[in-house]
Amino acid sequence: MSAAELKPAVQEADEWRTAQAQFDEAAELIRLEPWLREVLREVQREFTCTFPVKLDNESIRMFTGYRVQHNINRGPAKGGIRYHPDVSLNEVKALAMWMTWKCAVVNIPFGGAKGGIIVNPRELSLNELEHMTRRFATEISILIGHDRDIPAPDVNTDGQTMAWIMDTLSMHLGYSSPASVTGKPIEVGGSLGRIEATGRGVTITSVAALEHLGRNPHQTRVAVQGFGNVGSISARLLEEAGCTIVAVSEDYGGIHNPLGLSIKRVLEYRAREKTLNGFPGSQPIGNQELLSVDCDLLVPAAIGNQLTSRNARDVKAKLIVEGANGPTTPEADAIFRERGIFLVPDILANAGGVTVSYFEWVQDLQSFFWSEHEVNQKLKAIMTRAFAEVLNTREEKKLDMRMAAYVQAVSRVAAATRERGLYP
Ligand code: NAD
């Protein structure tokens, strides 16, 4: 057993440690000045709030939430809000830092932020969710706004959550402020194409990676972990691009068919039965088992820390495209590098969401809305260019794709920070 495999899982699973380790490696590669290393390896602002919500049975429950801004030198802070029982300050800090790099990789004028509440939203009624969301929006209203920090959906939050946040902020202001939040429903200033944007970006980068590897999408078998916004849309669009989807899963497990699953039918089945279990013609598959299923392309699109030193050697796919944020620990990354697996990192692969969030923000500020075709075309142009730039850096500097993306991103953020200089 290697040293990496002996490391305690707790340490390996600390996202903030992962984020800082990735940054340190990139900072070393570009010989970043020591003062910039110190600035960029920390978050600029971290905010914790503990707040009460009255439940339907009139009892009061306390919740803890976070909003973290990592860096705002290239523009307002941008990042999603997550509702999950495992949310922690360290996780939110890492996600905020990754947002800074993600916006810089695709070169959109935002800094990085993230937020979250420690909650299992399935335990709350819709009414309770709305009250919790509106109270959290009030708590973080001292930080957020269209020119300061702009939230978006993430795990277990959606357009409805964003509409409640936008409405709460607007009520405080006394006028509507649609540009203060993205991922909103179309009726309140959302952008066409935003719901599909992250999965579309995953598909664009997957197809670009397959092309680079000289592989035909029509001969590519795909496994997707997570069948939420990112996972289900990636699966549908990859299928449209010609791939065969052999396995998909949710938190309770998933389904497998080596001959291929019809994603359209799986979506219809899940909408009807509220589960993937029992989909005709499929065999059940565990979440961990899915990661090592026989396939060519693996898309982790659920939560962080899924690919670790414990399972990285079992992965059969030769291509991994990270739909989720932080699905791979540094230990697993090292194993993938050693095994010659081509990995498209989260900060590039799932940047389609924040890119169309940027389009939504621009449209809201101008009150001038684009067609879905225009949104998708502009998204494709940005994702394709970013993929090509990262690939170039990879080849020029003999790096893996993650470090190449980091080199691009950290160089851009460092340049902005350097040029702005130190205040006061
Ligand atoms: P979602 O809530 O819509 O879906 C999450 C999915 O993951 C669900 O299918 C859920 O069942 C599954 N899941 C949860 N825990 C799991 C576990 N332990 N094992 C397997 N599956 C599990 O969330 P989403 O918006 O699709 O986000 C998924 C990932 O993509 C997250 O890492 C998120 O940060 C990242 N991401 C999302 C966006 C976006 O625009 N929504 C953008 C960039 C990155």
Side-chain angles (χ1 to χ4, degrees), residues 108-119:
I108 57 176
F110 284 137
K114 203 79 181 192
I117 302 181
I118 306 172
V119 62

Side-chain angles (χ1 to χ4, degrees), residues 130-424:
E130 176 172 354
H131 282 106
M132 183 193 72
T133 301
R134 287 184 180 276
R135 177 60 190 252
F136 180 59
T138 302
E139 295 293 334
I140 62 172
S141 64
I142 54 173
L143 291 170
I144 61 182
H146 74 274
D147 52 2
R148 301 194 292 162
D149 181 352
I150 305 134
D154 193 70
V155 175
N156 291 327
T157 57
D158 57 13
Q160 177 63 80
T161 325
M162 296 306 116
W164 289 330
I165 295 176
M166 189 276 270
D167 184 68
T168 303
L169 293 175
S170 299
M171 287 297 135
H172 294 172
L173 292 167
Y175 56 86
S176 278
S177 179
S180 54
V181 171
T182 62
K184 300 178 297 294
I186 302 298
E187 296 76 12
V188 290
S191 175
L192 293 168
R194 173 62 184 89
I195 290 177
E196 296 82 11
T198 308
R200 191 172 292 281
V202 167
T203 306
I204 293 167
T205 49
S206 298
V207 170
L210 286 169
E211 195 178 319
H212 167 72
L213 298 171
R215 295 195 66 115
N216 182 345
H218 289 269
Q219 283 153 12
T220 301
R221 296 160 307 147
V222 187
V224 182
Q225 187 198 41
F227 205 62
N229 173 284
V230 180
S232 69
I233 290 163
S234 301
R236 181 166 63 76
L237 296 179
L238 282 164
E239 186 182 50
E240 276 179 25
C243 300
T244 303
I245 315 298
V246 294
V248 297
S249 72
E250 295 212 276
D251 45 2
Y252 51 84
I255 50 175
H256 176 218
N257 183 344
L259 299 176
L261 299 159
S262 157
I263 296 305
K264 183 169 168 278
R265 292 215 186 108
V266 174
L267 284 164
E268 286 165 4
Y269 180 87
R270 208 252 320 248
R272 201 171 56 239
E273 306 292 331
K274 310 283 176 243
T275 178
L276 296 170
N277 292 339
F279 178 71
S282 72
Q283 297 90 51
I285 187 168
N287 246 315
Q288 285 302 306
E289 220 186 318
L290 177 135
L291 299 171
S292 55
V293 81
D294 192 21
C295 66
D296 308 298
L297 162 59
L298 175 64
V299 181
I303 51 168
N305 291 322
Q306 295 302 295
L307 297 164
T308 68
S309 55
R310 293 182 186 186
N311 58 13
R313 291 200 187 280
D314 303 327
V315 169
K316 310 271 185 318
K318 286 279 173 279
L319 169 61
I320 299 174
V321 178
E322 295 183 331
N325 286 309
T328 310
T329 66
E331 287 77 2
D333 241 346
I335 295 171
F336 294 147
R337 261 192 295 236
E338 176 200 313
R339 294 186 53 207
I341 291 176
F342 192 89
L343 184 148
V344 185
D346 46 8
I347 58 171
L348 171 62
N350 70 35
V354 76
T355 302
V356 177
S357 273
Y358 166 57
F359 297 162
E360 178 175 336
W361 180 74
V362 169
Q363 293 171 79
D364 286 335
L365 290 176
Q366 300 182 341
S367 294
F368 182 66
F369 291 88
W370 311 345
S371 71
E372 188 165 358
H373 177 70
E374 203 174 342
V375 168
N376 289 346
Q377 243 185 352
K378 286 186 161 73
L379 171 64
K380 190 165 183 193
I382 288 186
M383 295 298 295
T384 309
R385 185 193 62 204
F387 184 88
E389 283 174 353
V390 171
L391 195 62
N392 259 343
T393 305
R394 170 186 181 265
E395 279 163 16
E396 252 172 42
K397 299 193 185 300
K398 306 271 172 281
L399 300 171
D400 62 41
M401 286 292 277
R402 189 184 311 281
M403 269 310 119
Y406 262 81
V407 162
Q408 284 278 354
V410 174
S411 303
R412 281 181 181 146
V413 178
T417 308
R418 196 182 292 116
E419 277 163 35
R420 287 178 63 145
L422 277 191
Y423 174 86

